[in-house]
Amino acid sequence: MPDTARRGLLIILSSPSGAGKSTLAKRLMSWDPTLRFSVSATTRDPRTGETDGVEYFFKTRAEFEAMVVQGDMLEHAEVFGNFYGTPKGPVEAAMGEGRDTLFDVDWQGGQQIRNSTLGKDVVSIFILPPSIAALEDRLRSRAQDSDDVIRSRMEKSLAEISHWSEYDYVLVNDDLDRAEEMLRTILTAERNRRDRQVGLSEFVRKLNREFDAR
Ligand code: ADP
Ligand code: 5GP
């Protein structure tokens, strides 16, 4: 059950394409089913196996622009020649319920969410590959993109990596189990920060009353 005595966290995962964000996000959600994944809208074509409303909401350019104009996006950006954006409504609903939301967004999305009114509840994590060769291997082994798309993503990987120091945490996704363990540890610690536990003052007052009543 979500912890209603705590505000929801916005957990941002960014990395160069292929470093393992989606894989780690899925593992984190199996570990904690109360986590909500922010399903982005995108104008890119679905990959084999992707379902509308699960990995993304697949939109035409006109539909995407209408969402932006109506103020429905928390953030949006052009990435690899397509548009991607985070629908605002579900994020605000999850925050209100004290549920934590995972975001798989690029550095532009990370900056915009951090600078939004929800910024104080952001925990941002940048994921690095162990090497550039491993990054390329992973993009190829995913076998979801054409050679041209893989080449273009590799060319843009250094630009994404250049934003690593804007993030609260940076982890190298070498061994998947270790990287997942690191993410769990970060999440557990961030959830327990004093300023995030809204019922704490009342709890300590109760301890005081119990002490006085001895
Ligand atoms: P991203 O979401 O960052 O673009 P993915 O999660 O799709 O990356 O991962 C890209 C590919 O690399 C996938 O085939 C995934 O199974 C694989 N992968 C992810 N993490 C590791 C790892 N630590 N070791 C080996 N392969 C990995
Ligand atoms: P992919 O096409 O591989 O699913 O995603 C490409 C890039 O777009 C990744 O870096 C991913 O993090 C980013 N991305 C996905 N959704 C969003 C979003 O809603 N906003 C932003 N700014 N980037 C996104």
Side-chain angles (χ1 to χ4, degrees), residues 15-23 104 138 141-142 173-176:
S15 79
S17 183
K21 291 178 299 295
S22 321
T23 309
D104 174 338
R138 287 180 194 176
S141 70
R142 185 164 69 186
N173 176 21
D174 190 350
D175 177 74
L176 252 179

Side-chain angles (χ1 to χ4, degrees), residues 13-27 47 56 80 104 127-128 130 134-135 137-145 153 172-179:
L13 300 180
S14 299
S15 79
S17 183
K21 291 178 299 295
S22 321
T23 309
L24 285 165
K26 283 192 190 120
R27 281 179 165 230
R47 293 186 183 125
Y56 284 104
F80 308 134
D104 174 338
I127 297 163
L128 289 169
L135 184 67
D137 277 356
R138 287 180 194 176
L139 277 175
R140 293 199 184 286
S141 70
R142 185 164 69 186
Q144 293 267 335
D145 298 307
R153 288 183 174 222
V172 178
N173 176 21
D174 190 350
D175 177 74
L176 252 179
D177 289 339
R178 281 197 49 180

Side-chain angles (χ1 to χ4, degrees), residues 199-208:
L200 218 44
S201 303
E202 180 47 39
F203 181 73
V204 174
R205 272 197 291 274
K206 182 178 87 63
L207 291 180
N208 275 301

